């Protein structure tokens, strides 16, 4: 599975949201698995969108054919778009499906990892972080993906912002020490995204 993450700064909120609903046209595209997104809880003008495809081949075919037609309605409503593609490595919790209807917030973490620490980082994600997140009340499901250049994405969906906040305060520091995250990670950025039900496809 291929995970696409788009982050952009919105300059025309109403136009952007109207355009976002046009992406319902993705339904029926060969290899399309699902899409959702919303607004950054820290920076209200920043939007995040997450799309899931069966494979790179299906995605490339869509980009060559239908993408520009669907994207046209959002032209001029945003700037500074950053697009990243990640190959699925494994689930966070079990049975990941790109569904957004039951989630209130998404947590996205983007890590660039030292080359010699990549295997350790992935192992710690599996052995330390995943069980902790899976056991947290309100954590629904998530996905761990990898991009060229030792970049990783951890995307988790949560029932509510309050439950995600509780997990953060209670456990993140302790888990980070146990997983030796500081030794693994060269750079890390992240956000908490208030999901918009109307954007889910």
């Amino acid at each position: 599975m291929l995970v696409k993450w788009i982050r952009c700064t919105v300059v025309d909120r109403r136009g952007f949201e109207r355009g976002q609903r046009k992406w319902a046209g993705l339904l029926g595209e060969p290899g399309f698995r699902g899409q959702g997104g919303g607004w950054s809880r820290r920076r209200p003008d920043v939007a995040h969108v997450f799309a899931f495809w069966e494979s790179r081949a299906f995605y490339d075919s869509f980009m060559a054919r239908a993408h520009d037609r669907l994207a046209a309605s959002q032209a001029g409503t945003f700037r500074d778009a950053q697009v990243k593609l990640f190959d699925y490595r494994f689930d966070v919790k079990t049975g990941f499906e790109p569904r957004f209807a039951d989630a209130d917030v998404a947590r996205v973490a983007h890590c660039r990892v030292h080359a010699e620490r990549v295997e350790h980082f992935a192992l710690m994600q599996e052995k330390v972080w995943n069980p902790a997140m899976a056991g947290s009340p309100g954590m629904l499901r998530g996905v761990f993906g990898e991009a060229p250049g030792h970049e990783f994405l951890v995307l988790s969906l949560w029932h509510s912002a309050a439950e995600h906040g509780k997990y953060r305060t209670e456990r993140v520091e302790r888990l980070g020490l146990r997983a030796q995250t500081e030794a693994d990670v060269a750079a890390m950025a992240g956000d908490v995204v208030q999901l918009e039900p109307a954007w889910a496809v």
Side-chain angles (χ1 to χ4, degrees):
M1 185 167 68
L2 187 74
V3 185
K4 180 180 188 177
W5 171 36
I6 307 157
R7 183 180 60 210
C8 60
T9 304
V10 173
V11 291
D12 168 8
R13 195 175 173 115
R14 189 177 287 167
F16 183 85
E17 292 201 302
R18 207 170 34 240
Q20 199 55 44
R21 286 194 279 275
K22 295 271 198 308
W23 290 99
L26 284 165
L27 288 172
E29 278 292 331
F32 173 71
R33 296 278 308 275
Q35 180 169 290
W39 300 101
S40 164
R41 288 178 64 94
R42 279 203 297 265
R43 296 191 40 209
D45 59 338
V46 169
H48 295 266
V49 177
F50 308 97
F52 300 84
W53 292 83
E54 211 108 312
S55 71
R56 182 67 194 245
F58 279 123
Y59 170 74
D60 286 344
S61 161
F62 161 72
M63 289 302 287
R65 287 178 304 97
H67 174 270
D68 292 359
R69 183 173 46 80
L70 288 172
S73 58
Q74 273 177 316
T77 64
F78 63 88
R79 57 182 173 79
D80 304 336
Q82 290 166 303
V83 178
K84 290 212 172 284
L85 299 173
F86 297 86
D87 286 312
Y88 165 90
R89 280 270 305 250
F90 48 76
D91 291 350
V92 178
K93 213 165 178 173
T94 53
F96 179 79
E97 280 178 47
R99 289 183 297 105
F100 293 86
D102 53 350
D104 185 35
V105 296
R107 161 73 182 155
V108 57
H110 176 221
C111 307
R112 211 170 62 248
V113 174
H114 298 294
E116 71 283 4
R117 303 284 297 188
V118 162
E119 284 318 306
H120 181 265
F121 178 77
L123 186 69
M124 289 301 102
Q125 183 64 41
E126 220 167 344
K127 299 279 186 265
V128 176
W129 292 104
N130 277 13
M133 270 201 263
S136 295
M139 192 280 188
L140 300 169
R141 59 192 161 274
V143 68
F144 180 74
E146 182 175 5
H150 320 304
E151 288 190 44
F152 294 87
L153 176 82
V154 185
L155 174 66
S156 54
L157 300 179
W158 296 76
H159 197 260
S160 76
E163 283 160 328
H164 174 258
K166 209 178 297 172
Y167 161 76
R168 272 196 68 76
T169 35
E170 284 172 9
R171 315 186 66 176
V172 166
E173 203 174 321
R174 187 164 45 84
L175 291 166
L177 288 171
R178 207 171 115 205
Q180 301 172 357
T181 304
E182 259 181 44
D184 289 350
V185 173
M188 186 190 280
D191 210 347
V192 177
V193 183
Q194 186 70 46
L195 294 169
E196 287 286 343
W199 298 11
V201 183

